[in-house]
Amino acid sequence: MSIIVNLDVVLAKRKMRSKELAEKIGITSANVSILKSGKAKAIRFSTLDAICKILDCQPSDILEYKPKKE
Amino acid sequence: MKKIQLLKAIVDFIWIVFIPIIPFAIIAIPFILIVGDIGDFDIKINGLLLASKSILSKVLIAVSILTFLLTFYSLYLFRKVLAHFLRLKIFDNTVISLFEKIGNLLIISGVLSLIVSFVAKLYFKHKVVFEIGYNSKIMLICLGLFFMILSEVFKISKAMKEENDLTV
């Protein structure tokens, strides 16, 4: 997919662990790990809203579009 | 889930009832084709007595037994599907491939019995008969196609389930 998830970068900047984020936004650590690894097929607006609120960032900080080279 | 257990019980019962016939059916095909003289037996296919010693009647009987074996094998595969369902493995690759196999087997079996029935009536009764009814072979072909469609539906459902599971 051409959408890159930079959640690990933002987490590192905020010095926050995945488990802590999962607990704060009310999703499982497994789901955070799916999101971080880029395996996620979709993200709910409610989840994105919660992540942005907790990490004090914009959706564009987490998601990035990089076109694939063909 | 009680319905599936009932279905499994019925399918298991049919399976157990038919299992003693299978070795005889497997032995019968080469026996009829190579060694056997079926002239002494009263063998009927679709109500048509095949007492002739001709090669055609032997081939028709052998093909009929083969169709029975194919249908029986599809029943065995269906038992496997039901076992998967009972273990709650519903949208599984095995189930999808089993549905496809069952569909193929039923279609082959339906087409073969349709040919046997048509040829037998044409050769022994000198009639061209095309049956469409509840018991006709067309129903078997339709059932086979239904299983193949079910396999496609399960493929789509599996993709949707995966997408749903990977939505955060």
Side-chain angles (χ1 to χ4, degrees), chain A residues 9-33:
Chain A
V9 178
V10 182
L11 277 173
K13 278 181 188 168
R14 303 291 187 277
K15 289 178 183 166
M16 193 186 278
R17 298 176 85 183
S18 304
K19 201 181 171 190
E20 197 186 337
L21 177 74
E23 277 167 8
K24 280 184 178 171
I25 60 175
I27 62 169
T28 60
S29 308
N31 274 344
V32 174
S33 148

Side-chain angles (χ1 to χ4, degrees), chain A residues 21-65:
Chain A
L21 177 74
E23 277 167 8
K24 280 184 178 171
I25 60 175
I27 62 169
T28 60
S29 308
N31 274 344
V32 174
S33 148
I34 288 170
L35 202 57
K36 272 171 69 182
S37 61
K39 283 181 188 167
K41 297 253 180 185
I43 180 164
R44 287 188 193 92
F45 275 140
S46 55
T47 312
L48 191 61
D49 177 75
I51 291 171
C52 291
K53 200 173 179 181
I54 299 297
L55 296 177
D56 189 27
C57 64
Q58 291 297 312
S60 59
D61 297 330
I62 298 162
L63 303 174
E64 186 187 347
Y65 176 72

Side-chain angles (χ1 to χ4, degrees), chain A residues 39-44 47, chain B residues 162-168:
Chain A
K39 283 181 188 167
K41 297 253 180 185
I43 180 164
R44 287 188 193 92
T47 312
Chain B
E162 267 175 14
E163 206 156 289
N164 189 47
D165 288 346
L166 291 173
T167 297
V168 181

